[in-house]
Amino acid sequence: MRVPLSWLREYVDLPATETGRDVQAKLISAGLEVETVEHLGADLKGPLVVGQVLTIEELEGFKKPIRFCTVNVGQANGTGEPQEIVCGARNFAVGDKVVVVLPGATLPGGFSISARKTYGKTSHGMICSSDELGMGDDGTHGIIVLPPETEVGKDAIELLELVDEVLDIAVTANRGDCLSIRGVAREAAIAYGLPLRDPALLDVPGPNAYGYPVKIADPTGCDRFTARTVTGLSAEARSPIWLQRRLQKVGMRPISLAVDVTNYVMMELGQPLHAYDRSLVQGTIGVRRAQEGEKIVTLDGTERKLHAEDLVITDDRGPIGLAGVMGGANTEIADHDAAENGGNATSDVVIEAAHFDQVSIARTARRHKLSSEASRRFERGVDPQAAAAAAQRTVDLLVLLAGGTAEAGVTEISAPSAPHTIRVPADHPDRVAGVEYGRETVVRRLQEVGCDVYGQDELIVTVPSWRPDLDDINDLAEEVIRLEGYENLPSTLPRPPAGRGLTSRQRLHRRVGRALAGAGYVEALNYPFVGEQVFDQLGLDADDPARRVVKLVNPLSDEEPALRTSLLPGLLGALRRNDGRGAHDLALFETGLVFHPRDEQRVAADLPVDRRPSEDDLAALDAALPDQPRHVAVVLAGAREQAGWWGKGRPADWADAVESARTVAREAGAELGVRKGQYGPWHPGRCAELFVTVDGEERVVGHAGELHPRVLKTLGLPARTCAMELDLDSVERVGDDTPQAPGISTFPVATQDVALVVEEFVPASEVEAALREGAGELLESIRLFDVYDNAEQLGEGRKSLAYALRFRAADRTLTVDEASAARDAAVALAGERVGAVLRS
């Protein structure tokens, strides 16, 4: 399979700096056998331009016909005067547009062009054929005659796409999907970690009763058949240069527009097609097994005696094609040349896109010693789901290039089938390779090749339609291993000594993840890349430190060239996508690194390769890296508690975001302070500032609350979306994760409730802090259980906060007086600090 790099780039945004050799290395690493990379036009040098033949003088007295021509090349020769050229070809006339190479140019093979005297005339250049330019066979064996609308003086190197790189891939018998640009593009996209623009993703009309009649007598041999009709093809229409060049680059010869289009779509999507002259098809198109002794003349002009196992395409007369191998001559498309020789050019065509049995096609091709591009693909496996898209692509091109009209009728016959599903243990690839890939890697790699994957310890894998070779669990293991890199497989399998388990930091990260998952959050892992416009969308101040980003030299996407300084952009994007897909009650979390550039920018030195880097080398390398603290963030939208027979439920609100931060702090054994705050994307009246105390000083480590309506509108998020982000490393440093057993007292608890009236702007956290300090060491716990704000009873701008205080002594049962005294002390201090008074 020959794959032009320029064609491949249409479906995968490969880095502009990647050469054919680079792509070859990537594909080889992914398991494809790329034998060579051909550099088309590597030694071609202009000027090579479009010219128009002005005059032709026939030179007499020579053994072969010789013509002396004058050609208008515009200003390409520097004078604007007609160029005088001697040429022996005869397939062009006065007024034709041709390709002219001028003196000073070099043609493929190192052939230098200069003015020279020949046949009694001085020839100032050459009029070129396709062979002389290294283009391959164009079927004319003569001078290239360009379309009349081609501009005189235009650079022919660019026009004819003479400079390109072509990868020659030896496709193994099990990888029929790679006998197409689509299949190789998918492999390149996986190898580079880039998205694929699948050319088969087209809007295809559904089948209806108006399509060309088709009858399938052997659904085992043909389980899918799509027929489309295009009428009114222009007899003057030719394949455009770009189409011819792409066919030449993949090793096919341009023939006529209708045939070229079907070949082009076959090379693009991997689905073989055939176009019948509608005026020559008589009656219903059928698919059946041949009758012993039947005969057919195929497109190569050979009469073939059919075998009873051959699958054939028929009309009312009998066979009109060997299914999946080659069409019949009795329905052949007639081109413009046939019309000039007294025939009629085809104006109406019926397009066939079908899926045939691999074994049947392989046996037919071998039986008749007739290997074709179509049979090669069917033998190795063709995507049955691509037939309708390939037919639509063909219709679109014929309408575009030949001025045809697509009939509304669509015929699509398919046998019932179910997708192939395989159950595989998640660690099976690990056991096969002797490498611990992990479930996430296995699932990711299988999904990259197009599989749908479900399950935890045992995966349920649905194989994509374009990979019929994935038949059992070992095929799936091979996919994971090849994409992870055969070169990464160890040559030995040593038994490592017993380790010490996870570090305390790793244990904390896992505890945090489990705690948030237990609280109803779902982990969402996002790419660490952002575009700087997201900071405007989040409403960050112009001087906000989060706007200072680390930019990538070679980003995966030009729209996201920087590393994130916050987890929120990725999480909010995941929330928006899921909400758009109908999941409206969402609670997502992520733990991950953020990146902040250092004040002093350093350039990393090249490390030695002949020895292990020293500690100083590694320290210098680390010093050149950006700061990478680990953050934890959550986002919530919709219902936090579902409604049902048990109650009305409730929506997620700012308090849930704050509680998620407290959940993280508890796992780290840290004391987390909460107070009113205002920052960036959060609503100024519903934002909590999260802080810890380090060496007696308070340090802000995050924010939580409800997002600002302006941010929600800008990002397209659900109303009342809430979020929390916390610097997990900072919380870890002040925490003590030593396991603490709960204290169990033999003495009873004394509970006292107090309701305090304060000004509306006073934060509940400040009231709680005053009560806690005033109550002293007898206070075991304090809980806010009610907030009341009736202006008629409390006064304008005031609210009531009700707290439950639990008192207990470690060595005795408290008396009522002791508990009351502690409560009164707490209330008194709250009165001094925040002006709180007991509610009457």
Side-chain angles (χ1 to χ4, degrees):
M1 176 67 192
R2 289 170 57 85
V3 180
L5 193 59
S6 59
W7 199 350
L8 191 65
R9 289 183 184 274
E10 278 200 6
Y11 308 127
V12 184
D13 289 327
L14 299 174
T17 57
E18 289 293 280
T19 66
R21 294 291 185 189
D22 298 327
V23 178
Q24 177 189 30
K26 283 283 190 179
L27 293 179
I28 289 176
S29 178
L32 295 185
E33 187 179 348
V34 185
E35 294 184 327
T36 60
V37 178
E38 183 180 351
H39 297 269
L40 302 182
D43 51 357
L44 176 64
K45 187 180 74 172
L48 187 72
V49 299
V50 175
Q52 183 174 26
V53 180
L54 300 178
T55 64
I56 297 177
E57 176 186 353
E58 299 288 344
L59 301 182
E60 304 292 337
F62 300 102
K63 293 182 180 180
K64 60 180 182 178
I66 298 295
R67 309 166 101 187
F68 180 67
C69 310
T70 60
V71 184
N72 175 21
V73 295
Q75 296 299 319
N77 57 7
T79 65
E81 296 294 325
Q83 198 80 0
E84 297 180 343
I85 299 174
V86 175
C87 182
R90 309 191 65 79
N91 67 314
F92 64 96
V94 172
D96 283 346
K97 303 289 180 65
V98 293
V99 178
V100 178
V101 58
L102 301 177
T106 303
L107 294 182
F111 183 61
S112 298
I113 302 299
S114 60
R116 65 190 184 94
K117 191 168 183 178
T118 179
Y119 298 103
K121 300 284 187 178
T122 301
S123 181
H124 298 273
M126 286 176 53
I127 301 176
C128 298
S129 68
S130 59
D131 288 336
E132 289 165 340
L133 297 179
M135 295 170 56
D137 183 15
D138 64 354
T140 65
H141 303 290
I143 294 302
I144 301 171
V145 178
L146 300 172
E149 64 272 13
T150 309
E151 178 186 352
V152 172
K154 184 177 179 64
D155 184 359
I157 296 178
E158 177 183 351
L159 175 69
L160 300 177
E161 301 176 11
L162 297 177
V163 178
D164 202 352
E165 294 180 272
V166 179
L167 286 71
D168 194 355
I169 303 175
V171 179
T172 55
N174 66 321
R175 291 304 304 274
D177 61 304
C178 288
L179 286 174
S180 67
I181 303 297
R182 178 196 184 199
V184 177
R186 182 179 290 108
E187 292 295 315
I190 295 172
Y192 280 91
L194 296 171
L196 169 70
R197 289 187 293 276
D198 191 344
L201 295 180
L202 300 175
D203 291 328
V204 179
N208 53 51
Y210 310 104
Y212 198 93
V214 174
K215 181 179 179 181
I216 298 179
D218 190 345
T220 301
C222 176
D223 57 7
R224 186 177 294 269
F225 194 108
T226 299
R228 300 290 298 276
T229 303
V230 181
T231 60
L233 301 183
S234 171
E236 301 299 322
R238 301 286 193 282
S239 298
I241 293 173
W242 64 265
L243 180 58
Q244 295 185 46
R245 288 296 295 132
R246 287 193 169 178
L247 290 176
Q248 289 172 333
K249 289 177 185 179
V250 298
M252 302 190 76
R253 179 172 64 86
I255 299 173
S256 65
L257 178 58
V259 176
D260 291 350
V261 166
T262 58
N263 286 336
Y264 177 88
V265 175
M266 175 179 66
M267 302 308 295
E268 182 181 58
L269 301 182
Q271 168 68 52
L273 302 107
H274 190 71
Y276 302 92
D277 188 328
R278 184 177 181 179
S279 65
L280 300 178
V281 179
Q282 299 181 11
T284 300
I285 291 178
V287 182
R288 61 170 172 82
R289 297 290 173 175
Q291 298 174 8
E292 191 69 34
E294 275 188 311
K295 295 181 180 180
I296 184 176
V297 178
T298 49
L299 289 174
D300 59 359
T302 303
E303 183 181 82
R304 302 182 185 278
K305 186 177 181 180
L306 301 179
H307 188 276
E309 290 184 5
D310 291 337
L311 197 66
V312 293
I313 310 297
T314 65
D315 65 4
D316 291 350
R317 297 167 296 177
I320 59 173
L322 270 176
V325 181
M326 185 174 287
N330 53 353
T331 55
E332 183 180 8
I333 298 292
D335 58 13
H336 178 265
D337 293 337
E340 288 184 342
N341 294 327
N344 293 318
T346 298
S347 61
D348 302 338
V349 297
V350 178
I351 299 161
E352 164 214 310
H355 184 259
F356 301 110
D357 175 63
Q358 293 179 237
V359 175
S360 175
I361 301 305
R363 289 176 175 173
T364 296
R366 285 159 179 72
R367 188 180 298 119
H368 294 281
K369 297 181 175 60
L370 184 60
S371 179
S372 64
E373 292 289 346
S375 67
R376 286 183 63 217
R377 283 160 177 78
F378 281 122
E379 289 172 14
R380 290 160 174 78
V382 169
D383 181 6
Q385 303 295 330
Q392 181 64 46
R393 178 76 164 133
T394 305
V395 168
D396 292 342
L397 288 173
L398 288 176
V399 170
L400 175 68
L401 302 177
T405 301
E407 288 196 352
V410 177
T411 301
E412 187 168 331
I413 301 176
S414 59
S417 62
H420 183 41
T421 300
I422 304 171
R423 292 180 177 270
V424 55
D427 62 347
H428 182 69
D430 300 15
R431 298 200 304 269
V432 171
V435 176
E436 187 175 349
Y437 295 125
R439 179 188 175 279
E440 289 185 3
T441 298
V442 172
V443 171
R444 174 171 56 85
R445 288 304 191 182
L446 292 178
Q447 288 175 337
E448 284 178 349
V449 299
C451 297
D452 290 328
V453 186
Y454 303 93
Q456 293 297 321
D457 294 334
E458 183 180 57
L459 304 179
I460 302 173
V461 181
T462 302
V463 174
S465 59
W466 57 83
R467 292 299 304 275
D469 59 303
L470 301 183
D471 190 57
D472 60 28
I473 61 175
N474 290 320
D475 294 329
L476 299 180
E478 181 185 5
E479 289 301 293
V480 175
I481 295 168
R482 77 174 181 88
L483 293 178
E484 285 296 301
Y486 291 122
E487 70 275 12
N488 297 323
L489 292 177
S491 56
T492 58
L493 300 174
R495 184 181 296 276
R500 299 180 180 178
L502 302 175
T503 66
S504 60
R505 189 166 187 256
Q506 291 170 329
R507 288 194 297 270
L508 171 62
H509 297 163
R510 294 199 177 186
R511 287 202 311 273
V512 167
R514 286 195 294 266
L516 291 175
Y521 292 87
V522 176
E523 186 171 15
L525 302 178
N526 299 288
Y527 287 118
F529 311 118
V530 296
E532 293 182 80
Q533 72 278 0
V534 76
F535 302 126
D536 296 327
Q537 297 169 342
L538 292 176
L540 300 187
D541 293 337
D543 59 348
D544 194 298
R547 286 182 175 270
R548 294 185 62 235
V549 296
V550 177
K551 291 188 177 180
L552 301 173
V553 174
N554 188 22
L556 294 181
S557 170
D558 292 337
E559 296 179 357
E560 295 181 332
L563 292 173
R564 65 189 177 191
T565 56
S566 167
L567 300 182
L568 289 184
L571 269 182
L572 292 175
L575 185 140
R576 180 178 61 249
R577 285 192 299 274
N578 283 277
D579 180 72
R581 294 168 182 169
H584 303 303
D585 303 325
L586 297 162
L588 308 178
F589 84 93
E590 180 178 11
T591 61
L593 301 180
V594 299
F595 306 86
H596 298 288
R598 297 180 187 268
D599 294 333
E600 180 184 354
Q601 299 290 332
R602 299 185 182 182
V603 178
D606 293 333
L607 295 181
V609 296
D610 58 339
R611 57 181 172 81
R612 185 186 184 281
S614 66
E615 295 300 326
D616 291 340
D617 292 333
L618 296 176
L621 183 63
D622 288 339
L625 298 175
D627 290 327
Q628 303 175 50
R630 181 172 291 271
H631 281 201
V632 58
V634 307
V635 293
L636 304 100
R640 186 65 176 137
E641 296 177 3
Q642 295 291 336
W645 57 265
W646 52 85
K648 295 181 179 180
R650 68 174 183 85
D653 60 18
W654 62 268
D656 295 303
V658 174
E659 182 58 28
S660 68
R662 291 194 173 108
T663 299
V664 173
R666 281 195 295 271
E667 293 300 325
E671 185 82 21
L672 185 68
V674 180
R675 63 191 174 205
K676 182 178 180 180
Q678 182 174 344
Y679 177 70
W682 281 276
H683 192 298
R686 297 168 188 158
C687 175
E689 189 174 76
L690 312 174
F691 64 92
V692 295
T693 303
V694 182
D695 298 329
E697 295 185 2
E698 293 180 351
R699 178 180 175 183
V700 177
V701 292
H703 294 83
E706 184 178 317
L707 297 181
H708 198 289
R710 183 172 58 250
V711 173
L712 301 182
K713 182 178 179 180
T714 302
L715 294 177
L717 299 171
R720 310 303 291 270
T721 297
C722 300
M724 180 278 294
E725 183 164 12
L726 194 63
D727 186 337
L728 185 55
D729 284 354
S730 296
V731 174
E732 178 189 2
R733 281 193 289 270
V734 300
D736 180 6
D737 63 351
T738 303
Q740 299 290 334
I744 301 176
S745 175
T746 59
F747 299 101
V749 65
T751 302
Q752 298 273 355
D753 292 346
V754 295
L756 303 177
V757 178
V758 297
E759 297 294 331
E760 192 174 36
F761 61 82
V762 175
S765 60
E766 293 186 13
V767 179
E768 180 181 325
L771 290 173
R772 189 181 298 277
E773 183 178 343
E777 61 182 12
L778 294 180
L779 181 67
E780 182 178 82
S781 67
I782 181 171
R783 179 175 63 88
L784 175 67
F785 67 86
D786 185 52
V787 178
Y788 183 68
D789 58 357
N790 190 311
E792 293 182 3
Q793 297 184 19
L794 303 177
E796 193 69 33
R798 297 174 70 79
K799 64 183 177 182
S800 170
L801 304 176
Y803 291 90
L805 286 73
R806 292 167 55 93
F807 298 97
R808 195 193 314 255
D811 57 351
R812 67 188 187 282
T813 299
L814 292 177
T815 65
V816 173
D817 291 341
E818 288 178 308
S820 298
R823 180 202 64 187
D824 294 342
V827 172
L829 186 58
E832 293 178 12
R833 290 271 182 88
V834 296
V837 295
L838 277 172
R839 179 181 168 190
S840 59

